[in-house]
Amino acid sequence: MEVIKSFEVFLTICFFYIKLWFIYLARWYEPPLRTKGSYNHAIVVLGDDHALGVGDYSSMVSGSGIAFKLGRELAKEGAIRQSWQIYNRGEYKTNTEDWLHPADSKRIEKPELMIKLIHDPKYLKAEIVIVMLGSYDTLQKNPSLTPQDTLRNLELICQALKRTGNERKSIYLCTIPTAGDDVFLTEEQRADNLTRNLLIEAYATKNDDGVLPGLHLDLASNFEMKRRNLYWRDGRHFSDIGYTKMAKDWIPLIRPDMVKREFALFRSDLGL
């Protein structure tokens, strides 16, 4: 019996890493521009596993995660008249310290993800940036990251995003998903994640850095996220159904922003 269980665990681990390999391949899949007019716009999704799309179905010829699902949902939107391309810049198991600009990091070996991002031509033209970070901060050991550290890092990340690329961009900051915390985290770690999300909500609501509230992905503030079918078999990462739901939830949140940007571009082109 023990041998069978060990074999099942081995198969689950193998399946997970094969799935992750396909997700990384799919991350660089750039779907054809969904043409709805002669004007083009861009959205960038950055963050950890939840931005990357871990848990989602993926293949070498289709994207994964919120970036792919959001593009698919936008194609159905009648109010969106111009073309929007969504780029996946999620990184597996990254915490907020990993995404700091080198100038803001206290590490001896400076993180490079932000530098790579802000030199990406696709980011430079982005008008909307979605940030999904913080899930791995509670697991960070060296150095350990408190909820206050997480908030400070997110502030620095959003400030770095704001001052680079399109100066008129909108930055949407999501709360940290907490599904599976009761299984994978200690009571103290769960309490820290609750505090993190309260700090994130307060920061995004103040809008001091031009940061806007993104989706509430935690169980405490969004009861809709408690559905079991929204998550992959580990109970922590989102499933295909979960990413699809998120994409649909994003539409009413960012639709006014997108319509305003489309109209502004149209007016500018006409010299109005």
Side-chain angles (χ1 to χ4, degrees):
M1 198 66 182
E2 290 296 325
V3 174
I4 294 175
K5 287 184 178 179
S6 298
F7 185 65
E8 288 176 350
V9 171
F10 173 74
L11 287 179
T12 300
I13 294 173
C14 289
F15 177 72
F16 176 81
Y17 280 102
I18 291 171
K19 191 178 184 74
L20 182 62
W21 180 72
F22 272 107
I23 287 172
Y24 259 103
L25 288 178
R27 171 189 161 173
W28 300 108
Y29 167 79
E30 305 293 7
L33 192 64
R34 301 176 185 279
T35 303
K36 285 192 171 184
S38 58
Y39 303 100
N40 300 324
H41 307 264
I43 297 174
V44 167
V45 181
L46 69 87
D48 53 31
D49 298 19
H50 305 299
L52 178 59
V54 174
D56 192 12
Y57 168 80
S58 62
S59 72
M60 294 178 66
V61 293
S62 68
S64 62
I66 188 64
F68 180 71
K69 297 291 195 298
L70 183 56
R72 195 168 62 183
E73 293 301 318
L74 286 176
K76 306 173 187 176
E77 271 295 302
I80 305 302
R81 303 298 180 89
Q82 298 171 14
S83 300
W84 289 81
Q85 193 80 353
I86 300 102
Y87 300 107
N88 185 342
R89 293 299 177 262
E91 294 285 345
Y92 183 55
K93 283 190 175 181
T94 51
N95 56 51
T96 55
E97 176 71 23
D98 296 324
W99 277 95
L100 285 177
H101 190 283
D104 297 322
S105 176
K106 297 178 181 178
R107 287 183 182 174
I108 296 176
E109 185 177 346
K110 303 296 184 181
E112 299 180 352
L113 291 176
M114 181 61 71
I115 289 294
K116 290 180 180 178
L117 178 72
I118 62 180
H119 285 92
D120 184 343
K122 293 165 184 172
Y123 166 75
L124 295 177
K125 64 181 182 181
E127 296 173 60
I128 292 176
V129 178
I130 294 172
V131 180
M132 303 174 71
L133 267 174
S135 294
Y136 283 93
D137 282 26
T138 191
L139 302 173
Q140 179 71 10
K141 300 298 183 185
N142 187 24
S144 60
L145 296 174
T146 66
Q148 290 70 29
D149 291 331
T150 297
L151 177 64
R152 182 56 182 156
N153 288 345
L154 287 172
E155 289 175 345
L156 292 170
I157 289 165
C158 290
Q159 289 165 12
L161 293 171
K162 196 69 178 177
R163 66 176 179 259
T164 55
N166 190 321
E167 62 181 17
R168 294 178 54 253
K169 76 171 70 66
S170 298
I171 300 172
Y172 291 86
L173 180 61
C174 302
T175 60
I176 300 168
T178 52
D181 280 8
D182 57 334
V183 175
F184 295 99
L185 303 183
T186 65
E187 184 176 351
E188 182 180 2
Q189 289 172 326
R190 295 197 297 272
D192 281 348
N193 267 353
L194 180 62
T195 302
R196 283 186 176 90
N197 279 327
L198 291 174
L199 292 173
I200 288 171
E201 287 182 40
Y203 169 58
T205 301
K206 284 193 304 181
N207 193 27
D208 286 347
D209 294 324
V211 178
L212 301 167
L215 293 183
H216 286 190
L217 302 178
D218 59 296
L219 303 182
S221 64
N222 189 350
F223 72 93
E224 292 185 1
M225 303 311 295
K226 295 182 179 181
R227 287 165 36 198
R228 180 64 187 87
N229 67 341
L230 297 180
Y231 303 95
W232 193 56
R233 64 180 63 188
D234 64 358
R236 187 172 183 79
H237 293 99
F238 292 102
S239 64
D240 174 75
I241 295 173
Y243 285 110
T244 299
K245 172 183 166 45
M246 277 195 287
K248 292 179 178 179
D249 290 346
W250 270 112
I251 299 295
L253 186 62
I254 62 175
R255 185 194 293 117
D257 193 354
M258 297 174 73
V259 171
K260 182 172 67 175
R261 291 176 182 281
E262 289 188 354
F263 186 63
L265 184 57
F266 181 68
R267 282 175 56 92
S268 174
D269 196 47
L270 292 178
L272 299 177

